[in-house]
Amino acid sequence: MKRICSLLLDAIFQGNGFFIGELIMLTTLAGLLHHVVSDWDQPPVEMRPLGSIPIKEYAIETPLEKSVEKEAGFIYEVKIDFNTRSSISAINFVLRDEETGSWYQHKGTDFKVPLTNISNDDGNTVETKQDFAIWPGTLGHLSNMLQKSDGGNSKESTQKRNLSYEEYDIVKQSLVDNSMSVCIKRCPEFVNNLLHIETDIPGDVVVHWGVCKDESKKWEIPTGPYPDKTSIFKNKALQTHLQKKEGGCGCSGLFPLDAGIEGFLFVLKVNNNTWVNCMGDDFYIPMSNERNFKKPEHIGEENVSTSMKLDSSQDVSTNTDELINEIRHLVIGISSEKKRKTKSKETQENILREIEKLAAEAYSIFRSSIPSFKKKPESESESKEAEPDLKISSGTGSGFEILCQGFNWESHKSTSWYSELQDKAAELSSLGFTIVWLPPPTESISPQGYMPKDLYNLNSRYGNIEELKSLVNKFHEVGIRALGDAVINHRCAHSQNQNGVWNIFGGRLDWDDSAVVGDDPHFQGRGNKSSGDNFHAAPNIDHSQEFVRKDLKEWLCWLRKEIGYDGWRLDFVRGFWGGYVKDYMDASEPYFAVGEYWDSLNYTYGEMDYNQDSHRQRIVDWINATNGTAGAFDVTTKGILHSALEKHEYWRLSDSKGKPPGVVGWWPSRAVTFIENHDTGSTQGHWRFPGGKEMQGYAYILTHPGTPSVFYDHIFSHYNSQISTLISIRNRNKIHCRSMVEISKAEGDVYAAIIDEKIAMKIGPGHFEPPQSGPHQWCLAAEGNDYKVWEAL
């Protein structure tokens, strides 16, 4: 599933010192090309391929066309003609995946094809790179094909031509710490073998798989039966959604396989946008000799550290219930597909009971053939549920965090906000908050702190450095961790350059204009083009500069040591590539980090679209670029809650697959859910939550997965006791960032869901009561204006 972008530069000498050129780009990525000439200017009309459309005033968007079909799929192509005698020095471009909306650059910057080397030498030769007459690499010998296609040209003998070739890897590579195990169990008494895949990779994991019947490793679709949630993918493979494990920490799947196959081939797709393979190749599990597994060092594009385990000779002690649950997963559409109407509920339950009987009868035969997952022994007197293992990471904290925003837009007007907040530390701890987000601590042109100047000057409108240290120490005493608000996208200058532009910095970080991005005309920076969106009120920092990253990493580490911050809230992360954030997180090693990636949702004629996948995809892409070292505020969920509550459109709270429609539905462990903050609410009110419906919003985010964030103004208001009750329910039932959501109802006037089979909730004026006839009895635990929450007894 590796994606390649290959460039072939073809220049032809036509005589009289005149050259024409052709840039051919081929890629395995189906999508759109955004391209410009020189320093992001629109190319002239004669250089624009058919189907191109202008993008604002600086680029052209061109669709890629199918060119050649390979075994792995189509290769897509675009040709751009140019005149080598023109003043154009280069063609810059980026790629956008039409399927996922993801953008692709080259190591955080634009692809750039220089054209200045294609010139004449005394009017006789073409200066190009040599030794590329044959197209190497993944795409095959395509240059030969291109040259052969011109073989019939009668003018070929009078023209001189040469080729320049470059190949770029456009996958996003990142290092994460996840594992995967594969177990094969032979069933000599039966035809089928069982292959079990288990991984702790977070999010939605889909296995694209097939089998091979000889050593060619050619993918074939096997005969059924298939696991639950399996479908055919492009008539070449099967795709199966792995089942989430209890607690949400990973997923697994069981695959029945016919005897006689040679091997099992597969790759993984995570959160519908990241392919995981084995160092660029498919995972291959030999079936004829399972003991000869090799341990790959890395897995494909995420470089996931992997352990391929086989346990066919172990003494297995699996109980009947585990086997029954696995068989349940193999029954397609009976218990999990709610929309299926071909069988009545009673018929479906009868089928399940028959399967359970068969499973119990066959248990003694399968006893030595089913993968075992040993549980820690529990004493007879132990009645409490075992505490889940806590795996700390900067993107999630412990997974049980509840965040408090400890200020609003007017907090700087306090005599000393740090002292005022310190007096509330014990109360915030008693309410159940585990993390507090503090305001920006640095000297700033704006009193709120979001126009920083001298990063090492921590005397701000909120208090001085000693008061800040005392505040952080107090929070630590009461068991709350503190986040610093790190504003590192932009920085206000200390002085002007020779043109009168403010882009020269002072203080300990006395940068010059080379620290400012070069594509913001307001501040005349000499740095590289920005890797994100520009913030036009202050000079945007060029994070591609090594000295800038070195200084910022030292500053973050200094704040950790000097002040005692436990992590970061990162301001305006749309402005710089998430890969730089990973660098900063690796250096400063925070307990918890969250980025503010805020852009507009999708609207049509003023009406919010139901499908907001492209919006949440942009946030997920940023998180992925950080390699999951930081979470992100779930702006998608906030926006959808607005429309759902304002217009009684609660159906919006379930996406087309029956999952939560925000980031929390795709990558819950990295979603920081919120309904208000200092920008959207407070005295700014840029995007205020629907008035009087705030508790419906909190009933949603405090019962659902993700890491909920509660706004200061709501904590210290008449909502205090209701918020406290919801936090208590969340903590009492150990709801965490990876908890499982089963949406029970999403209609015009009501939304209802059951979380981890421990909590049931509903918001909206419509009716919902959790079923009292199932495995749980429910007790009402909290209620308010158009919301209710129940706990399982």
Side-chain angles (χ1 to χ4, degrees), residues 354-387:
E354 289 302 316
I355 292 174
E356 290 173 3
K357 290 178 183 178
L358 291 172
E361 293 171 0
Y363 172 63
S364 60
I365 299 175
F366 277 86
R367 184 177 177 86
S368 61
S369 303
I370 300 298
S372 66
F373 304 95
K374 295 183 179 179
K375 297 181 179 180
K376 294 181 180 179
E378 298 182 4
S379 62
E380 293 181 2
S381 61
E382 185 177 9
S383 59
K384 287 187 176 181
E385 182 181 351
E387 291 285 343

Short mmCIF file of all heavy atoms in Angstrom, two decimals, residues 354-387:
data_model
loop_
_atom_site.label_atom_id
_atom_site.label_comp_id
_atom_site.label_asym_id
_atom_site.label_seq_id
_atom_site.Cartn_x
_atom_site.Cartn_y
_atom_site.Cartn_z
N GLU A 354 -29.01 -21.56 19.33
CA GLU A 354 -28.55 -22.81 18.72
C GLU A 354 -27.04 -22.82 18.55
O GLU A 354 -26.37 -23.83 18.78
CB GLU A 354 -29.24 -23.00 17.36
CG GLU A 354 -30.72 -23.33 17.45
CD GLU A 354 -30.97 -24.61 18.26
OE1 GLU A 354 -30.22 -25.59 18.06
OE2 GLU A 354 -31.88 -24.60 19.10
N ILE A 355 -26.49 -21.68 18.15
CA ILE A 355 -25.04 -21.59 17.99
C ILE A 355 -24.35 -21.80 19.33
O ILE A 355 -23.32 -22.49 19.43
CB ILE A 355 -24.65 -20.24 17.38
CG1 ILE A 355 -25.13 -20.16 15.93
CG2 ILE A 355 -23.14 -20.01 17.43
CD1 ILE A 355 -24.92 -18.82 15.27
N GLU A 356 -24.90 -21.20 20.39
CA GLU A 356 -24.30 -21.36 21.71
C GLU A 356 -24.33 -22.83 22.16
O GLU A 356 -23.37 -23.33 22.75
CB GLU A 356 -25.03 -20.47 22.72
CG GLU A 356 -24.77 -18.99 22.50
CD GLU A 356 -25.62 -18.10 23.38
OE1 GLU A 356 -26.39 -18.65 24.21
OE2 GLU A 356 -25.52 -16.89 23.24
N LYS A 357 -25.42 -23.52 21.86
CA LYS A 357 -25.48 -24.95 22.20
C LYS A 357 -24.40 -25.74 21.46
O LYS A 357 -23.70 -26.57 22.04
CB LYS A 357 -26.87 -25.52 21.85
CG LYS A 357 -27.99 -25.02 22.75
CD LYS A 357 -29.33 -25.60 22.30
CE LYS A 357 -30.48 -25.07 23.15
NZ LYS A 357 -31.78 -25.60 22.68
N LEU A 358 -24.28 -25.46 20.16
CA LEU A 358 -23.25 -26.15 19.39
C LEU A 358 -21.86 -25.83 19.91
O LEU A 358 -20.98 -26.71 19.95
CB LEU A 358 -23.36 -25.74 17.91
CG LEU A 358 -24.61 -26.24 17.16
CD1 LEU A 358 -24.67 -25.60 15.77
CD2 LEU A 358 -24.57 -27.76 17.05
N ALA A 359 -21.65 -24.59 20.29
CA ALA A 359 -20.34 -24.21 20.80
C ALA A 359 -20.03 -24.96 22.08
O ALA A 359 -18.90 -25.43 22.29
CB ALA A 359 -20.30 -22.70 21.04
N ALA A 360 -21.01 -25.08 22.95
CA ALA A 360 -20.78 -25.78 24.22
C ALA A 360 -20.48 -27.27 23.97
O ALA A 360 -19.60 -27.86 24.60
CB ALA A 360 -22.00 -25.64 25.12
N GLU A 361 -21.22 -27.87 23.02
CA GLU A 361 -20.99 -29.28 22.72
C GLU A 361 -19.62 -29.51 22.08
O GLU A 361 -18.97 -30.52 22.31
CB GLU A 361 -22.08 -29.79 21.77
CG GLU A 361 -23.47 -29.82 22.41
CD GLU A 361 -24.56 -30.12 21.39
OE1 GLU A 361 -24.21 -30.30 20.20
OE2 GLU A 361 -25.73 -30.16 21.78
N ALA A 362 -19.19 -28.55 21.26
CA ALA A 362 -17.91 -28.71 20.57
C ALA A 362 -16.73 -28.25 21.40
O ALA A 362 -15.58 -28.39 20.98
CB ALA A 362 -17.94 -27.93 19.26
N TYR A 363 -16.99 -27.74 22.59
CA TYR A 363 -15.90 -27.13 23.37
C TYR A 363 -14.77 -28.11 23.66
O TYR A 363 -13.59 -27.78 23.56
CB TYR A 363 -16.45 -26.58 24.67
CG TYR A 363 -15.38 -26.10 25.61
CD1 TYR A 363 -14.56 -25.03 25.26
CD2 TYR A 363 -15.16 -26.73 26.83
CE1 TYR A 363 -13.57 -24.60 26.10
CE2 TYR A 363 -14.17 -26.29 27.68
CZ TYR A 363 -13.37 -25.22 27.32
OH TYR A 363 -12.39 -24.78 28.14
N SER A 364 -15.12 -29.35 24.01
CA SER A 364 -14.07 -30.31 24.36
C SER A 364 -13.18 -30.63 23.16
O SER A 364 -11.99 -30.92 23.31
CB SER A 364 -14.70 -31.61 24.87
OG SER A 364 -15.54 -32.18 23.88
N ILE A 365 -13.74 -30.57 21.95
CA ILE A 365 -12.95 -30.84 20.74
C ILE A 365 -12.03 -29.66 20.45
O ILE A 365 -10.86 -29.84 20.11
CB ILE A 365 -13.89 -31.09 19.55
CG1 ILE A 365 -14.76 -32.31 19.83
CG2 ILE A 365 -13.10 -31.28 18.26
CD1 ILE A 365 -15.81 -32.56 18.76
N PHE A 366 -12.55 -28.45 20.63
CA PHE A 366 -11.78 -27.25 20.30
C PHE A 366 -10.85 -26.82 21.43
O PHE A 366 -10.07 -25.90 21.28
CB PHE A 366 -12.72 -26.07 19.99
CG PHE A 366 -13.23 -26.08 18.60
CD1 PHE A 366 -14.36 -26.82 18.28
CD2 PHE A 366 -12.61 -25.36 17.60
CE1 PHE A 366 -14.84 -26.83 16.99
CE2 PHE A 366 -13.09 -25.37 16.32
CZ PHE A 366 -14.21 -26.10 16.00
N ARG A 367 -10.89 -27.51 22.55
CA ARG A 367 -10.20 -27.03 23.75
C ARG A 367 -8.72 -26.75 23.51
O ARG A 367 -8.17 -25.78 24.01
CB ARG A 367 -10.36 -28.06 24.87
CG ARG A 367 -9.76 -27.58 26.19
CD ARG A 367 -10.01 -28.61 27.28
NE ARG A 367 -9.39 -28.19 28.52
CZ ARG A 367 -9.93 -27.41 29.40
NH1 ARG A 367 -11.14 -26.92 29.18
NH2 ARG A 367 -9.31 -27.06 30.50
N SER A 368 -8.07 -27.60 22.72
CA SER A 368 -6.64 -27.42 22.48
C SER A 368 -6.34 -26.60 21.23
O SER A 368 -5.21 -26.53 20.79
CB SER A 368 -5.95 -28.78 22.36
OG SER A 368 -6.49 -29.49 21.26
N SER A 369 -7.38 -26.01 20.65
CA SER A 369 -7.18 -25.36 19.36
C SER A 369 -7.58 -23.89 19.33
O SER A 369 -7.51 -23.27 18.30
CB SER A 369 -8.00 -26.08 18.28
OG SER A 369 -7.64 -27.42 18.24
N ILE A 370 -8.01 -23.34 20.46
CA ILE A 370 -8.48 -21.96 20.48
C ILE A 370 -7.45 -21.09 21.19
O ILE A 370 -6.89 -21.49 22.20
CB ILE A 370 -9.84 -21.86 21.21
CG1 ILE A 370 -10.87 -22.71 20.48
CG2 ILE A 370 -10.31 -20.41 21.28
CD1 ILE A 370 -11.13 -22.26 19.06
N PRO A 371 -7.16 -19.89 20.67
CA PRO A 371 -6.21 -19.02 21.34
C PRO A 371 -6.64 -18.72 22.77
O PRO A 371 -7.82 -18.53 23.04
CB PRO A 371 -6.26 -17.73 20.49
CG PRO A 371 -6.84 -18.15 19.19
CD PRO A 371 -7.73 -19.30 19.47
N SER A 372 -5.69 -18.69 23.66
CA SER A 372 -6.00 -18.41 25.06
C SER A 372 -5.51 -17.03 25.44
O SER A 372 -4.48 -16.59 24.98
CB SER A 372 -5.34 -19.45 25.98
OG SER A 372 -3.94 -19.33 25.94
N PHE A 373 -6.27 -16.38 26.30
CA PHE A 373 -5.88 -15.09 26.83
C PHE A 373 -6.09 -15.16 28.34
O PHE A 373 -7.19 -15.02 28.85
CB PHE A 373 -6.73 -13.98 26.21
CG PHE A 373 -6.66 -13.98 24.72
CD1 PHE A 373 -7.62 -14.64 23.96
CD2 PHE A 373 -5.60 -13.38 24.09
CE1 PHE A 373 -7.52 -14.65 22.59
CE2 PHE A 373 -5.50 -13.39 22.71
CZ PHE A 373 -6.48 -14.03 21.96
N LYS A 374 -5.01 -15.43 29.06
CA LYS A 374 -5.11 -15.71 30.48
C LYS A 374 -5.44 -14.46 31.26
O LYS A 374 -4.88 -13.40 31.02
CB LYS A 374 -3.81 -16.32 30.99
CG LYS A 374 -3.50 -17.67 30.38
CD LYS A 374 -2.23 -18.26 30.97
CE LYS A 374 -1.93 -19.63 30.37
NZ LYS A 374 -0.69 -20.20 30.91
N LYS A 375 -6.34 -14.59 32.21
CA LYS A 375 -6.69 -13.50 33.10
C LYS A 375 -5.98 -13.69 34.44
O LYS A 375 -5.66 -14.79 34.85
CB LYS A 375 -8.21 -13.47 33.35
CG LYS A 375 -9.02 -13.20 32.09
CD LYS A 375 -10.49 -13.16 32.43
CE LYS A 375 -11.32 -12.87 31.19
NZ LYS A 375 -12.77 -12.83 31.51
N LYS A 376 -5.74 -12.54 35.11
CA LYS A 376 -5.14 -12.63 36.43
C LYS A 376 -6.11 -13.30 37.39
O LYS A 376 -7.32 -13.02 37.37
CB LYS A 376 -4.80 -11.22 36.94
CG LYS A 376 -3.71 -10.54 36.13
CD LYS A 376 -3.41 -9.17 36.69
CE LYS A 376 -2.31 -8.49 35.87
NZ LYS A 376 -2.02 -7.13 36.38
N PRO A 377 -5.63 -14.20 38.23
CA PRO A 377 -6.54 -14.86 39.17
C PRO A 377 -7.12 -13.87 40.16
O PRO A 377 -6.44 -12.95 40.61
CB PRO A 377 -5.61 -15.87 39.87
CG PRO A 377 -4.24 -15.33 39.69
CD PRO A 377 -4.23 -14.63 38.39
N GLU A 378 -8.39 -14.06 40.47
CA GLU A 378 -9.06 -13.20 41.43
C GLU A 378 -9.39 -14.02 42.67
O GLU A 378 -9.80 -15.17 42.60
CB GLU A 378 -10.34 -12.63 40.83
CG GLU A 378 -10.09 -11.76 39.60
CD GLU A 378 -11.39 -11.18 39.07
OE1 GLU A 378 -12.42 -11.41 39.73
OE2 GLU A 378 -11.37 -10.52 38.03
N SER A 379 -9.22 -13.40 43.81
CA SER A 379 -9.57 -14.08 45.06
C SER A 379 -11.08 -14.17 45.17
O SER A 379 -11.82 -13.40 44.57
CB SER A 379 -9.00 -13.29 46.24
OG SER A 379 -9.58 -12.00 46.29
N GLU A 380 -11.53 -15.15 45.95
CA GLU A 380 -12.97 -15.36 46.09
C GLU A 380 -13.64 -14.17 46.74
O GLU A 380 -14.80 -13.88 46.47
CB GLU A 380 -13.23 -16.63 46.91
CG GLU A 380 -12.78 -17.91 46.20
CD GLU A 380 -13.08 -19.13 47.04
OE1 GLU A 380 -13.65 -18.96 48.13
OE2 GLU A 380 -12.75 -20.23 46.60
N SER A 381 -12.89 -13.48 47.57
CA SER A 381 -13.49 -12.35 48.28
C SER A 381 -13.49 -11.09 47.45
O SER A 381 -14.11 -10.09 47.82
CB SER A 381 -12.71 -12.08 49.58
OG SER A 381 -11.37 -11.76 49.27
N GLU A 382 -12.82 -11.14 46.30
CA GLU A 382 -12.71 -9.92 45.49
C GLU A 382 -14.01 -9.73 44.72
O GLU A 382 -14.39 -10.53 43.89
CB GLU A 382 -11.54 -10.04 44.51
CG GLU A 382 -11.30 -8.77 43.71
CD GLU A 382 -10.08 -8.89 42.83
OE1 GLU A 382 -9.53 -10.00 42.72
OE2 GLU A 382 -9.69 -7.87 42.25
N SER A 383 -14.70 -8.64 44.99
CA SER A 383 -15.96 -8.37 44.33
C SER A 383 -15.89 -7.16 43.42
O SER A 383 -16.72 -6.99 42.54
CB SER A 383 -17.07 -8.13 45.37
OG SER A 383 -16.71 -7.03 46.20
N LYS A 384 -14.85 -6.31 43.61
CA LYS A 384 -14.73 -5.12 42.79
C LYS A 384 -14.20 -5.47 41.41
O LYS A 384 -13.45 -6.41 41.24
CB LYS A 384 -13.80 -4.10 43.45
CG LYS A 384 -14.41 -3.40 44.66
CD LYS A 384 -13.48 -2.30 45.13
CE LYS A 384 -14.10 -1.52 46.28
NZ LYS A 384 -13.23 -0.43 46.72
N GLU A 385 -14.61 -4.66 40.44
CA GLU A 385 -14.09 -4.83 39.09
C GLU A 385 -12.61 -4.49 39.08
O GLU A 385 -12.17 -3.54 39.70
CB GLU A 385 -14.85 -3.90 38.14
CG GLU A 385 -14.41 -4.02 36.71
CD GLU A 385 -15.16 -3.06 35.81
OE1 GLU A 385 -16.12 -2.46 36.30
OE2 GLU A 385 -14.78 -2.93 34.64
N ALA A 386 -11.81 -5.31 38.38
CA ALA A 386 -10.37 -5.08 38.33
C ALA A 386 -10.07 -3.75 37.68
O ALA A 386 -10.70 -3.36 36.71
CB ALA A 386 -9.69 -6.21 37.55
N GLU A 387 -9.10 -3.03 38.24
CA GLU A 387 -8.69 -1.75 37.67
C GLU A 387 -8.03 -1.99 36.32
O GLU A 387 -7.17 -2.84 36.18
CB GLU A 387 -7.71 -1.05 38.61
CG GLU A 387 -8.33 -0.58 39.92
CD GLU A 387 -9.19 0.66 39.72
OE1 GLU A 387 -9.05 1.31 38.67
OE2 GLU A 387 -10.00 0.97 40.60
#
